[in-house]
């Protein structure tokens, strides 16, 4: 690879051992993809997970004196305050999350603890070169904003934050951003939940860059968030196009770069139902709790839940996972208190895939998100999956049909 003087100085260790290690990895990634050079990034997002390897690497970089040159936003772990105040987390799990927090703080990361940075805290412009990890973030940044990022891992995004560069390959180059699979959606896409299910059709869509046709002209940010999150739950997608909606697909010809699609796939209502039933446990039963916010819910979704509950009260607890800033705004508006009165808790800075939810072990939840159902399975927590409004009704009755 051709390195400029600054990059060579980093690689030679003139900017410290932490920067040197980060640059070594960046160069190795670049060489494995035949990249010719490194290009600067303007923003980054690290999919902090608060798991062993994540914390080990963050601490190692701190011990080697690294600092983030381009401070990244970070994914949620769990909220130390929220779980501690309610005595829901044990000392060991608390100390572990605190150590993760301290390591990222020492690196100079922006401690947003939010997995939807592309909606409000870290929004790229069209054409911006960035380093985003997190399953829903990469496709949203590429497809919806027209920014350019490869599907970084938490580690490579952290290294990019430290050096300020990424190797130029893959989706950073025009020729690799074109669609390869035509996906005709015949299913009725009449709510945001259906986009979760469309994303779960990755097995049928197959490997490549999907170009969706047949979707409505106006698609909410929440629906696009759901689509990207589930495309990377059922498969591995860093880019897609929606003809007439996303910026690099004004027409079907432009989306495919003038080429023919490699294959065509049709998605029907039956496909969406099959995708749901592969991960949902069987309905017609009582449930113990309801969880939303994987990926994190927006303020608009919190407002919708409040409106749907109306004058009623919840029979089982509802956990709505959001960012700290959504929680703060909800508090300012009196929305947080109003939802608490009903039995719904806005939980900030938290992911369902965290040890802080141990207290829900062997319980059955209800959610609108397959991704929410997927990760907690390994902690002994099962979910029924239904659309958002059915889940809200389920929280009121304690049952789901
Ligand atoms: Fe976000 Fe965690 Fe779900 S990072 S998308 S809440 S698995």
């Amino acid at each position: 690879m051709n390195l400029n003087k600054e990059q060579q100085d980093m690689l030679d260790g003139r900017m410290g051992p932490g920067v040197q290690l980060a640059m070594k990895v960046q160069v190795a990634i670049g060489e494995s993809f035949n990249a010719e050079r490194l290009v600067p990034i303007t923003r980054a997002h690290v999919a902090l997970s608060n798991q062993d390897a994540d914390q080990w690497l963050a601490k190692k970089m701190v011990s080697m004196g690294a600092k983030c040159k381009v401070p990244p936003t970070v994914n949620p772990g769990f909220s130390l305050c929220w779980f501690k105040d309610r005595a829901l987390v044990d000392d060991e799990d608390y100390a572990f999350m605190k150590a993760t927090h301290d390591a990222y703080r020492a690196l100079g990361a922006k401690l947003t603890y939010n997995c939807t940075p592309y909606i409000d805290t870290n929004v790229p412009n069209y054409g911006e070169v960035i380093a985003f990890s997190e399953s829903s973030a990469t496709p949203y940044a590429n497809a919806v904003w027209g920014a350019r990022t490869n599907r970084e891992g938490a580690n490579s995004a952290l290294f990019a934050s430290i050096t300020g560069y990424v190797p130029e390959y893959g989706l950073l180059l025009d020729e690799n951003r074109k669609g390869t699979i035509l996906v005709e959606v015949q299913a009725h896409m009449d709510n945001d939940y259906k986009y979760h299910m469309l994303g779960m059709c990755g097995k049928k869509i197959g490997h490549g860059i999907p170009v969706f046709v047949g979707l409505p002209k106006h698609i909410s940010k929440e629906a696009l968030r759901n689509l990207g999150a589930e495309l990377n739950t059922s498969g591995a997608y860093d880019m897609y196009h929606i003809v007439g909606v996303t910026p690099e697909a004004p027409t079907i010809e432009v989306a495919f770069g003038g080429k023919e699609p490699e294959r065509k796939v049709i998605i029907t209502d039956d496909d969406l139902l099959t995708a749901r039933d592969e991960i949902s446990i069987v309905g017609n039963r009582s449930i113990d709790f309801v969880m939303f916010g994987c990926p994190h819910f927006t303020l608009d979704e919190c407002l919708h839940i409040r409106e749907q509950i109306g004058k009623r009260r919840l029979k089982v607890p509802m956990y709505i996972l959001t960012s700290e800033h959504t929680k703060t705004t909800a508090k300012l508006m009196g929305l947080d208190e109003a939802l608490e009165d009903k039995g719904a808790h806005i939980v900030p800075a938290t992911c369902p895939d965290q040890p802080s939810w141990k207290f829900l072990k062997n319980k059955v939840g209800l959610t609108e998100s397959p991704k929410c159902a997927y990760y907690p399975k390994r902690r002994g927590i099962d979910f029924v999956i239904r659309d958002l409004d059915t889940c809200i009704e389920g929280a009121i009755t304690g049952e789901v049909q």
Side-chain angles (χ1 to χ4, degrees):
M1 281 174 76
N2 301 313
L3 303 185
N4 65 24
K5 167 131 184 16
E6 185 198 18
Q7 294 160 356
Q8 192 63 52
D9 282 350
M10 289 183 184
L11 190 62
D12 293 342
R14 289 193 193 89
M15 298 188 186
V19 176
Q20 183 180 31
L21 175 61
M23 181 52 87
K24 265 189 191 169
V25 176
Q26 295 285 91
V27 169
I29 293 172
E31 285 178 349
S32 68
F33 284 99
N34 296 320
E36 289 180 7
R37 57 177 188 159
L38 294 161
V39 287
I41 55 162
T42 43
R43 56 183 77 239
H45 179 76
V46 172
L48 171 155
S49 65
N50 188 40
Q51 291 174 9
D52 291 340
D54 170 46
Q55 190 189 98
W56 175 85
L57 181 65
K59 278 181 169 171
K60 182 174 177 69
M61 298 315 289
V62 173
S63 72
M64 294 177 88
K67 274 271 177 196
C68 291
K69 188 173 164 194
V70 179
T73 47
V74 295
N75 258 18
F78 68 85
S79 166
L80 290 168
C81 300
W82 197 89
F83 286 89
K84 181 88 172 168
D85 288 352
R86 289 158 184 80
L88 292 174
V89 62
D90 63 34
D91 290 347
E92 192 184 339
D93 292 335
Y94 182 92
F96 197 88
M97 180 66 221
K98 177 76 168 55
T100 299
H101 170 84
D102 290 346
Y104 277 95
R105 183 171 152 154
L107 287 169
K110 296 174 182 166
L111 298 177
T112 48
Y113 293 126
N114 164 233
C115 54
T116 56
Y118 46 85
I119 286 182
D120 35 25
T121 50
N122 200 355
V123 182
N125 286 321
Y126 183 85
E128 219 178 311
V129 176
I130 63 177
F132 269 27
S133 52
E134 169 49 30
S135 56
S136 73
T138 309
Y140 204 106
N142 277 314
V144 180
W145 295 131
R148 296 188 170 210
T149 177
N150 283 308
R151 203 159 60 93
E152 302 288 350
N155 41 19
S156 63
L158 179 60
F159 292 141
S161 303
I162 290 168
T163 63
Y165 292 100
V166 283
E168 191 180 41
Y169 71 96
L171 287 178
L172 271 47
L173 302 170
D174 287 346
E175 62 268 27
N176 299 323
R177 298 176 66 83
K178 303 298 179 194
T180 55
I181 315 158
L182 180 61
V183 183
E184 184 185 329
V185 182
Q186 294 180 357
H188 294 92
M189 304 302 288
D190 47 4
N191 59 43
D192 296 346
Y193 158 81
K194 298 273 184 82
Y195 290 80
H196 272 303
M197 293 308 147
L198 177 60
M200 287 303 287
C201 293
K203 234 190 265 174
K204 183 165 183 185
I205 294 170
H207 180 68
I209 297 183
V211 176
F212 295 99
V213 293
L215 292 176
K217 180 82 184 143
H218 299 288
I219 306 175
S220 72
K221 59 186 181 302
E222 289 83 0
L224 293 166
R225 171 203 64 195
N226 296 349
L227 176 62
E230 307 303 355
L231 280 171
N232 282 317
T233 302
S234 68
Y237 299 87
D238 35 24
M239 177 69 173
Y240 62 81
H241 300 281
I242 303 174
V243 175
V245 174
T246 56
E248 293 173 61
T251 64
I252 199 161
E253 291 75 22
V254 174
F256 282 104
K259 294 192 182 142
E260 282 297 305
E262 288 169 14
R263 65 181 180 281
K264 295 183 188 175
V265 177
I266 294 175
I267 301 291
T268 63
D269 285 321
D270 279 350
D271 289 316
L272 304 193
L273 270 178
T274 305
R276 181 195 79 180
D277 291 340
E278 271 178 16
I279 187 146
S280 173
I281 62 167
V282 181
N284 295 330
R285 55 164 302 144
S286 61
I287 43 123
D288 302 308
F289 68 97
V290 172
M291 187 178 282
F292 300 128
C294 177
H296 277 176
F297 258 27
T298 61
L299 190 63
D300 287 339
E301 288 172 313
C302 296
L303 285 164
H304 175 81
I305 292 168
R306 172 71 190 89
E307 196 170 314
Q308 287 296 112
I309 295 173
K311 292 190 170 21
R312 300 172 293 174
R313 275 197 64 78
L314 305 189
K315 191 164 179 185
V316 298
M318 178 189 287
Y319 304 104
I320 310 166
L321 315 185
T322 66
S323 61
E324 289 280 9
H325 52 276
T326 296
K327 172 87 172 172
T328 302
T329 311
K331 273 187 183 168
L332 288 170
M333 295 166 67
L335 174 61
D336 187 58
E337 202 182 330
L339 282 166
E340 281 286 336
D341 278 351
K342 301 289 180 184
H345 313 287
I346 298 183
V347 185
T350 300
C351 167
D353 188 25
Q354 289 291 318
S356 54
W357 298 109
K358 271 179 192 164
F359 72 96
L360 294 176
K361 190 171 178 186
N362 297 328
K363 296 196 184 301
V364 173
L366 180 59
T367 182
E368 40 61 81
S369 160
K371 193 173 178 190
C372 184
Y374 181 79
Y375 288 110
K377 257 185 192 300
R378 68 193 176 110
R379 298 182 197 277
I381 307 168
D382 283 316
F383 281 91
V384 180
I385 301 173
R386 292 291 183 272
D387 65 84
L388 178 60
D389 288 352
T390 302
C391 291
I392 297 169
E393 291 306 311
I396 290 163
T397 61
E399 288 173 1
V400 60
Q401 303 309 316

